[in-house]
Amino acid sequence: MKVSDIKHPGLVAWIREVSDYCTPDSVYVMDGSVDEYDAIMQKSVENGIAIPLNPEKKPNSFLFRSDPSDVARVEKRTFIASAKQEDAGPTNNWIDPVELKKTLKDLYRGCMKGRTMYVIVFSMGPVGSEFSKIGVELTDSEYVACNMFIMTRVGRKVIEELGTDGFFIHCLHSVGKPLADGETDGGKWPCAPMEKKYIAHFPETREIWSFGSGYGGNALLGKKCLALRIATVMARDEGWLAEHMLILKITNPEGRSRYITAAFPSACGKTNLAMLIPTIPGWTVHTLSDDIAWLRYGKDGRLYAMSVEAGFFGVVPGTSMKSNPNAMLAAQKNTIYTNVALTEDKDVWWEGIGYDAPGKLIDWQGNEWIQNKADKDQKPSSHPNSRFTAPASQCPCISDDWEDPRGVPVSAILFGGRRPSTIPLVHMARSWTHGTFLGSIVGSEITAATLDAGSGIRRDPMAMKPFIGYNAGDYFNHWLKVGAAAKSQDLLPKIFYVNWFRKTPEGKWLWPGYGENSRVLKWIFECCDGVAKTVDTPIGIMPTVDAIDRPEGVSEEDMKELLNVDVDGWLKEVDDIRNNYYPTFGDRLPRQLSETLDELEQRLKKAKAGKCCCCCKK
Ligand code: GTP
Ligand code: SPV
Ligand code: MN
């Protein structure tokens, strides 16, 4: 399509302004057709950036290898440029928006020379849903254009929906590598050096300016930039929630379903839980989203979650027919692989795929790689953050209502992270406020190798630390306000804190995880029905030791350990929250949260003194 096919004067003017400034060789408006996708991908193949995979093994699929400096989101180079610094808050990098725009304009001048500028008109959420948001990404990257085609709804139908004066979020992106006359990428992934990368958000004007990175959430601007950072700001203003959550449907043996959302930090198991195959007979799970959910009240007063993406950008290493067959099957065709290894017969391979490397490989950096199991220090063939991009519709367990424009009514919200100790397998909040408190203290324990002086835990509130587009204290307050706006507290989802990552002192998993997590989902389902076996404890409502059937390999002792209330561990936790964590929010921290912390401490102290009224089963 051509720019003259667009009937929205505001959009046309912006496209002209950007193309005059960034000086691409040509401008191309995506219509969203498959032929167009093929043609754009072909261009990457000709540039040597994309490698077509064996059509008998992975039909219509391609491998990209990025630059070693451009392999993941870069939080250090991500900015919330609100007019006032205090509105960006303690969890964000801030630069004055006027200054940042000036810096970026200098970088953007002429930055698309030698390239095509793609106009991607996209919808986050099903096209036509009153809850969806339209964005327009202008990018000089074929990789981004093809990924956006899979991850979002793109092209003609969205352009029609936008009409002549519809609102859209301006998303500007450049890889930051202009080409000299006659120069090509020559097989080298284009990007700018780290100090020139900027992932910039202007929340008041709902704009995103990204420069210098072509990878993932830095460049596919519909995902973390729009559907989380900018969306959190819109959600605050409009009374809803934009969250880093999967959405799943779980159905019991009688055929009754409930919807559950879950927020875990990056690389902590959302894709795996969303596509889980229950090990308990008669239960099934279907997927609606593996990363992002938008939640708002329906007319019936219940909270509804809408899936906003159209594809999965999933972590590859560790994915196998054993750990996540649904993800494996979703990524068999029409898939983009990034930074995995290539086999001699042009298939892909990675660590944890479930079988040995077949012969000589080319690793993610383009070097020959032969598996040597004796060498425990061998560098992996695939980058730990290598990813697959696959259409959600190809997932065998996709839920038939995943594109419902109203979303689905949520029964339970789960928070979780990697916590080798202290946090039990599961506990339930007493109320929405208590649940908001639990979300606010989510953390993932980090290894000794990671530099994070102090507690050894990276707090990641609601799994949203890198994605809250405004002051995190205000965000907590917004959560409380949404809860208080419920027609009745009984209509609200119940909130749970889960932890699949408990370890023994020897460092072995105490809980097998993956499909076995269905046992915990069953207990959560029963809690929603009001029939679960529960016990009141100082930290919240927990399963009795016999409430959850034990998986093979988990002894009764293990189960007791998994469900134990570690009073001393929790008192340390309280101490860390009170002294190191909550003070970072200053006077923006809602009073209800510090009161909930006080209450928790009192309950724990009572239990320690042996005066606990409720749980002391030990
Ligand atoms: P993002 O896409 O980065 O947001 O990640 P995610 O939250 O979707 O994480 P994902 O499901 O891709 O899992 C990340 C890693 O955690 C993989 O290596 C998984 O194998 C591992 N993992 C997932 N679920 C479990 C579990 O229940 N137990 C254990 N031990 N590991 C798990
Ligand atoms: C995450 O980091 O949470 C992801 C990958 O889902 S990215 O899209 O790169 O943000
Ligand atoms: Mn994610």
Side-chain angles (χ1 to χ4, degrees):
M1 285 175 79
K2 295 192 288 292
V3 179
S4 56
D5 296 328
I6 298 177
K7 304 284 179 267
H8 188 298
L11 174 54
V12 172
W14 183 55
I15 295 169
R16 294 256 146 81
E17 183 196 325
V18 171
S19 72
D20 285 351
Y21 199 78
C22 297
T23 65
D25 285 7
S26 59
V27 177
Y28 179 84
V29 180
M30 282 178 71
D31 66 16
S33 66
V34 171
D35 287 350
E36 173 186 87
Y37 175 87
D38 294 344
I40 299 173
M41 186 58 87
Q42 192 52 36
K43 199 166 161 187
S44 288
V45 172
E46 281 158 18
N47 284 339
I49 305 286
I51 299 165
L53 297 176
N54 184 337
E56 281 171 22
K57 308 244 167 172
K58 298 280 181 308
N60 192 33
S61 299
F62 299 84
L63 169 64
F64 286 76
R65 295 187 198 119
S66 77
D67 188 85
S69 75
D70 205 22
V71 293
R73 285 183 296 102
V74 278
E75 292 178 16
K76 278 202 290 270
R77 306 300 306 163
T78 300
F79 300 91
I80 300 296
S82 44
K84 285 195 261 167
Q85 179 163 11
E86 69 202 71
D87 291 336
T91 54
N92 288 306
N93 301 312
W94 179 86
I95 299 179
D96 175 79
V98 177
E99 186 190 323
L100 183 55
K101 282 200 167 170
K102 190 168 164 295
T103 305
L104 277 163
K105 275 194 172 154
D106 286 342
L107 292 168
Y108 279 125
R109 192 180 303 115
C111 71
M112 295 188 185
K113 186 176 165 359
R115 302 188 185 277
T116 298
M117 183 173 94
Y118 297 90
V119 177
I120 311 173
V121 183
F122 64 95
S123 177
M124 297 315 290
V127 181
S129 164
E130 58 179 311
F131 307 129
S132 296
K133 301 282 181 201
I134 292 176
V136 179
E137 178 161 357
L138 306 182
T139 178
D140 56 4
S141 161
E142 281 80 26
Y143 175 81
V144 167
C146 289
N147 273 274
M148 287 292 285
F149 173 88
I150 296 174
M151 293 303 296
T152 72
R153 286 92 176 169
V154 167
R156 207 176 285 276
K157 53 189 186 293
V158 192
I159 295 173
E160 265 166 37
E161 180 71 19
L162 189 61
T164 55
D165 62 351
F167 169 79
F168 66 93
I169 294 143
H170 294 58
C171 308
L172 173 56
H173 172 254
S174 172
V175 294
K177 176 79 179 69
L179 296 165
D181 289 334
E183 187 189 354
T184 66
D185 286 320
K188 200 172 171 304
W189 172 272
C191 64
M194 192 55 85
E195 69 279 8
K196 286 194 179 163
K197 294 192 211 289
Y198 286 89
I199 322 299
H201 306 72
F202 303 93
E204 285 95 356
T205 51
R206 320 289 201 227
E207 291 171 284
I208 301 159
W209 289 15
S210 169
F211 185 91
S213 166
Y215 197 88
N218 299 334
L220 315 177
L221 302 186
K223 198 172 176 58
K224 298 302 171 28
C225 299
L226 191 161
L228 290 179
R229 295 192 196 96
I230 294 295
T232 51
V233 178
M234 300 174 86
R236 176 198 61 192
D237 296 347
E238 298 169 7
W240 50 281
L241 295 169
E243 299 299 327
H244 192 200
M245 288 177 179
L246 68 90
I247 312 170
L248 66 79
K249 175 165 81 177
I250 178 162
T251 307
N252 73 2
E254 288 77 54
R256 200 157 46 80
S257 300
R258 289 189 175 276
Y259 296 93
I260 296 177
T261 69
F264 309 152
S266 300
C268 288
K270 288 182 299 302
T271 300
N272 278 273
L273 187 69
M275 299 178 191
L276 151 157
I277 298 178
T279 50
I280 38 176
W283 290 74
T284 54
V285 163
H286 290 92
T287 311
L288 292 95
S289 165
D290 81 328
D291 202 50
I292 298 176
W294 288 354
L295 289 80
R296 68 183 80 222
Y297 286 109
K299 292 196 181 67
D300 59 0
R302 300 188 66 188
L303 206 52
Y304 281 65
M306 184 175 80
S307 168
V308 295
E309 299 188 280
F312 306 127
F313 186 64
V315 175
V316 172
T319 308
S320 70
M321 282 307 285
K322 190 157 170 276
S323 69
N324 192 347
N326 286 314
M328 288 295 277
L329 295 170
Q332 285 303 302
K333 58 183 180 188
N334 310 317
T335 294
I336 298 172
Y337 284 94
T338 308
N339 290 341
V340 298
L342 183 69
T343 68
E344 280 176 305
D345 61 354
K346 298 273 187 289
D347 198 357
V348 280
W349 189 87
W350 53 80
E351 282 67 30
I353 196 171
Y355 52 87
D356 288 346
K360 220 170 11 183
L361 308 186
I362 306 293
D363 72 11
W364 72 276
Q365 292 182 282
N367 302 315
E368 197 173 278
W369 190 93
I370 298 168
Q371 190 172 25
N372 178 3
K373 288 202 253 180
D375 179 3
K376 292 280 170 258
D377 298 324
Q378 186 177 28
K379 277 200 278 180
S381 70
S382 302
H383 189 277
N385 191 43
S386 53
R387 299 261 168 175
F388 63 83
T389 319
S393 59
Q394 288 184 185
C395 183
C397 63
I398 195 77
S399 195
D400 51 11
D401 46 8
W402 77 284
E403 297 196 276
D404 192 322
R406 295 164 303 181
V408 294
V410 180
S411 295
I413 294 174
L414 278 46
F415 291 115
R418 288 175 187 263
R419 293 297 304 266
S421 65
T422 313
I423 311 289
L425 181 63
V426 58
H427 66 293
M428 179 170 72
R430 299 175 207 285
S431 64
W432 182 269
T433 300
H434 185 212
T436 302
F437 166 79
L438 291 180
S440 81
I441 66 166
V442 164
S444 252
E445 217 137 14
I446 46 175
T447 62
T450 312
L451 286 174
D452 189 28
S455 65
I457 298 164
R458 171 179 142 127
R459 297 280 170 198
D460 190 346
M462 280 80 170
M464 284 286 283
K465 179 175 185 282
F467 310 121
I468 303 168
Y470 59 102
N471 188 299
D474 295 351
Y475 166 82
F476 296 152
N477 199 41
H478 180 62
W479 260 80
L480 295 170
K481 263 170 68 182
V482 167
K487 278 187 193 153
S488 141
Q489 294 294 300
D490 296 342
L491 289 173
L492 281 170
K494 295 189 185 306
I495 300 179
F496 298 81
Y497 196 143
V498 299
N499 180 19
W500 316 143
F501 298 96
R502 284 292 293 270
K503 284 186 174 169
T504 63
E506 296 76 43
K508 286 207 336 225
W509 297 121
L510 252 181
W511 179 253
Y514 301 98
E516 302 291 10
N517 294 333
S518 57
R519 296 174 195 276
V520 177
L521 296 185
K522 174 171 177 272
W523 181 76
I524 289 169
F525 193 112
E526 290 163 357
C527 285
C528 297
D529 281 350
V531 300
K533 285 195 190 174
T534 61
V535 53
D536 198 359
T537 81
I539 60 170
I541 316 290
M542 291 185 66
T544 55
V545 183
D546 61 344
I548 294 174
D549 280 341
R550 283 185 285 117
E552 218 182 280
V554 176
S555 68
E556 205 178 324
E557 282 309 302
D558 293 339
M559 203 67 194
K560 277 191 184 146
E561 182 60 30
L562 283 160
L563 296 176
N564 178 36
V565 179
D566 171 5
V567 173
D568 288 328
W570 272 95
L571 280 168
K572 275 198 206 123
E573 191 80 9
V574 168
D575 198 55
D576 180 53
I577 296 164
R578 187 188 309 289
N579 297 315
N580 303 319
Y581 176 56
Y582 269 0
T584 57
F585 303 106
D587 60 6
R588 301 257 188 156
L589 182 80
R591 190 177 34 84
Q592 291 101 305
L593 296 190
S594 42
E595 283 171 4
T596 307
L597 181 65
D598 293 343
E599 238 172 77
L600 171 62
E601 185 175 37
Q602 277 155 23
R603 287 175 195 266
L604 288 165
K605 282 190 169 155
K606 238 168 120 182
K608 197 172 160 80
K611 287 193 224 128
C612 177
C613 50
C614 43
C615 63
C616 296
K617 30 186 204 273
K618 298 193 143 193

